[in-house]
Amino acid sequence: MQTEQCDVLVIGGGPGGSTAAALLARKGHKVIQLEKAHHPRFHIGESLLPMNMPIYERLGVMDKLKAIGVYKPGADFEADNERGYNTYLFARALGDSPGHAFQVWRQDFDKMLFDHARELGADGREGHEVTAVEQRGPRDTRIDVKTDEGQSYQVQARYLLDASGRDAFMASKHKLRKKNPRHQSAAIFGHFRNAEFRPGKDAGNISIYNFPYGWMWMIPLPDGVMSVGAVCRPDYLKQRQGRTREFLFETLKVNPALWKRMEKAELIDDEVRVTGNYSYDSTKIGGLGWMLVGDAFVFLDPVFSSGVYLATSGAEQTAALVDEALAYPEREARLQRKLERRLRGGMRRFAFFIYRFNSPVMQHLFRNPRNTWQIEQGVISMLAGDLFDSWKVRLRLYLFRAIYTVYGIRHWRDWYREHRYRMRQARSQFTGGNTPVDKV
Ligand SMILES: Cc1cc2nc3c(=O)[nH]c(=O)nc-3n(C[C@H](O)[C@H](O)[C@H](O)COP(=O)(O)OP(=O)(O)OC[C@H]3O[C@@H](n4cnc5c(N)ncnc54)[C@H](O)[C@@H]3O)c2cc1C
């Protein structure tokens, strides 16, 4: 078999892989990036965060992003006010996060980043799947590749970055991947025309709704399309028993406020997709000569749209690490430990909100935000992805946790009653026989 040589081999052509490939190629390294699919290929994960924007500035893709994205000024959540929702405007965040982000079709966005990495010098190959990896030494990794035309070849790389997403190629191979014991979720979603957008300046918001089995999103995409989906416990989704399309509509109807915006909506291509239980973690981020990037390392839950941001910011920091480690190998282990600590710290801060997002206490606090001690602004910063470096934000997030605990203890009986009431209500709606599908 023919063997090629490179400095860095990147598995995966998603946002994590393309960010790392682009930055390392720009530094002058010989980079090969392998993607088993062909761009543009479908992917879920359409809502970006403001903290992504400085990374795209540094990558040099802001103009390309503006051309394919819908301007996203904030995130809105249901509220007990006249219009039925509160917008958490990114412009009100504490700290230095940008005042907006974008919503994108992932097939266009991922292709744009992949092509950009090529423009910066990475050797990006589509339809090339990594099938095996053998590490012979810290700077000698052999990677077996199969193309979709049936050819096989081998690459010898000084460094391997695994950005293979939820396939988690290396973590699966080394048995590093663990299911998250605290959090299980699955998703069902589709893309619609004629869904109702928020009025005026809120038109580009992501909208988040709750229902007793999880939460739902509405993400406005280019050309009047709306991405709509529900994240729920896997056992809830199992009840669909082959009725995937009907099940999505029945689920959306459980929240009347969301359903009101969907009454005239039509599914594009009649296609409803489902993803299985996807909350997992890896026991370590890498070893000498290899590292995990983005979803290949860890993924929790999409509720705060943090996946692409964590993948690209992790990729940017990993690229800097690899550049330094190739020049100064003695620093590598320490740099890896430091980066892993940092990334896990950010994940833990998101996880506090994610694990409790459906609890009545969290619902109450999101529906009735108060800016005492700038806590609401701290939460907006978290929604913007700014929870790594700003002490102002981290202090507000600690205060929020304290308030959450006090509220929970003081009102637990009320919350519990409310939760049971909502579950009963949802069950009766769901088994009522008169499914919304008939009306669509
Ligand atoms: C239901 C749901 C909704 C979500 N919504 C959002 C959202 O609104 N906003 C957000 O930021 N995130 C969201 N996410 C998360 C987001 O999809 C991911 O976090 C993000 O795509 C991670 O990027 P990545 O580059 O790490 O992996 P990916 O984007 O998954 O890219 C990995 C690539 O590697 C390729 N690959 C895999 N194995 C191999 C191999 N052996 N050889 C070659 N190539 C390979 C794959 O084909 C793929 O193209 C959501 C996730 C889910 C499940």
Side-chain angles (χ1 to χ4, degrees):
M1 212 190 309
Q2 155 204 359
T3 300
E4 294 180 51
Q5 318 270 329
C6 69
D7 294 324
V8 185
L9 186 129
V10 180
I11 309 177
S18 296
T19 302
L23 294 172
L24 283 161
R26 190 161 72 186
K27 288 259 182 199
H29 297 285
K30 183 175 179 196
V31 178
I32 296 179
Q33 182 184 8
L34 303 176
E35 166 56 53
K36 67 178 178 183
H38 287 262
H39 287 298
R41 53 98 180 90
F42 178 81
H43 206 296
I44 193 62
E46 298 138 334
S47 194
L48 306 179
L49 297 187
M51 285 302 281
N52 265 128
M53 301 303 116
I55 301 172
Y56 299 138
E57 289 280 3
R58 291 191 287 273
L59 262 178
V61 294
M62 268 317 276
D63 289 341
K64 295 177 185 174
L65 176 57
K66 278 182 199 157
I68 59 168
V70 168
Y71 186 87
K72 173 186 174 188
D76 64 58
F77 296 82
E78 278 186 278
D80 307 317
N81 56 23
E82 209 174 300
R83 60 180 190 169
Y85 67 92
N86 279 322
T87 297
Y88 287 73
L89 263 186
F90 295 133
R92 291 187 55 231
L94 288 178
D96 300 323
S97 54
H100 70 279
F102 290 96
Q103 325 271 19
V104 290
W105 277 111
R106 278 292 300 276
Q107 58 267 39
D108 298 339
F109 175 73
D110 288 16
K111 178 172 168 38
M112 180 272 284
L113 286 180
F114 190 78
D115 290 347
H116 188 73
R118 271 186 182 147
E119 281 165 30
L120 294 186
D123 179 353
R125 304 176 188 179
E126 296 162 78
H128 289 226
E129 179 173 4
V130 172
T131 54
V133 166
E134 183 195 352
Q135 228 196 352
R136 299 191 180 172
R139 293 291 176 265
D140 181 3
T141 300
R142 308 293 169 108
I143 299 107
D144 291 346
V145 186
K146 196 162 180 207
T147 72
D148 54 10
E149 282 157 2
Q151 284 138 1
S152 300
Y153 64 97
Q154 195 174 59
V155 182
Q156 178 182 12
R158 294 172 66 211
Y159 220 100
L160 174 70
L161 293 184
D162 177 10
S164 60
R166 291 171 51 198
D167 285 21
F169 185 88
M170 289 291 281
S172 307
K173 176 178 147 63
H174 290 297
K175 301 200 170 28
L176 306 175
R177 181 168 150 142
K178 299 175 302 175
K179 262 192 176 175
N180 186 330
R182 288 198 61 186
H183 190 70
Q184 297 184 347
S185 50
I188 178 166
F189 51 91
H191 292 87
F192 294 81
R193 288 200 188 281
N194 299 329
E196 192 182 302
F197 281 59
R198 291 291 194 209
K201 288 184 179 159
D202 288 334
N205 285 353
I206 180 172
S207 303
I208 306 285
Y209 295 87
N210 274 84
F211 76 120
Y213 307 99
W215 60 273
M216 306 195 236
W217 78 75
M218 290 182 81
I219 298 176
L221 293 174
D223 305 321
V225 174
M226 186 75 81
S227 164
V228 184
V231 171
C232 39
R233 293 198 310 263
D235 52 351
Y236 169 75
L237 212 50
K238 277 190 196 139
Q239 300 172 58
R240 73 185 189 283
Q241 292 171 341
R243 298 164 49 252
T244 302
R245 183 184 182 280
E246 290 81 352
F247 197 82
L248 173 61
F249 282 102
E250 288 171 7
T251 300
L252 300 182
K253 203 188 180 189
V254 174
N255 185 308
L258 177 142
W259 182 247
K260 197 159 171 282
R261 296 175 64 190
M262 293 297 294
E263 270 170 345
K264 298 193 185 108
E266 291 148 23
L267 255 181
I268 296 177
D269 297 335
D270 214 24
E271 186 157 28
V272 173
R273 296 176 193 254
V274 168
T275 67
N277 191 10
Y278 46 64
S279 200
Y280 57 84
D281 192 0
S282 305
T283 50
K284 61 177 181 172
I285 199 168
L288 297 183
W290 63 278
M291 283 194 72
L292 308 178
V293 173
D295 280 11
F297 172 42
V298 53
F299 185 70
L300 252 186
D301 189 282
V303 63
F304 299 120
S305 309
S306 56
V308 172
Y309 166 59
L310 291 172
T312 45
S313 72
E316 187 182 38
Q317 293 164 73
T318 304
L321 184 157
V322 171
D323 183 51
E324 193 170 340
L326 286 174
Y328 307 99
E330 68 283 4
R331 298 183 189 169
E332 184 178 359
R334 183 180 55 79
L335 290 171
Q336 287 188 347
R337 280 196 300 275
K338 196 169 151 206
L339 180 56
E340 180 166 357
R341 255 199 319 275
R342 177 181 163 81
L343 295 181
R344 287 196 189 282
M347 291 297 295
R348 262 198 310 279
R349 269 160 244 142
F350 270 126
F352 174 83
F353 288 87
I354 289 172
Y355 291 158
R356 293 162 184 81
F357 185 65
N358 235 30
S359 74
V361 186
M362 194 66 92
Q363 281 311 301
H364 176 80
L365 295 174
F366 267 83
R367 277 170 171 261
N368 305 282
R370 289 208 200 145
N371 203 24
T372 319
W373 300 319
Q374 295 183 304
I375 292 178
E376 184 196 358
Q377 285 176 271
V379 170
I380 296 176
S381 295
M382 182 275 294
L383 295 173
D386 186 11
L387 37 57
F388 283 95
D389 297 313
S390 165
W391 65 265
K392 284 193 271 188
V393 174
R394 288 175 62 177
L395 175 65
R396 271 47 179 217
L397 296 183
Y398 283 124
L399 289 171
F400 183 94
R401 290 170 77 139
I403 289 172
Y404 177 92
T405 309
V406 172
Y407 257 73
I409 292 170
R410 277 188 37 198
H411 299 288
W412 72 269
R413 275 201 187 84
D414 300 340
W415 305 132
Y416 184 65
R417 263 199 297 274
E418 188 185 321
H419 176 68
R420 302 242 327 196
Y421 170 74
R422 281 203 207 164
M423 288 298 281
R424 263 201 311 276
Q425 220 185 13
R427 260 187 234 119
S428 64
Q429 205 166 350
F430 204 72
T431 52
N434 199 4
T435 66
V437 183
D438 306 328
K439 296 179 198 152
V440 174

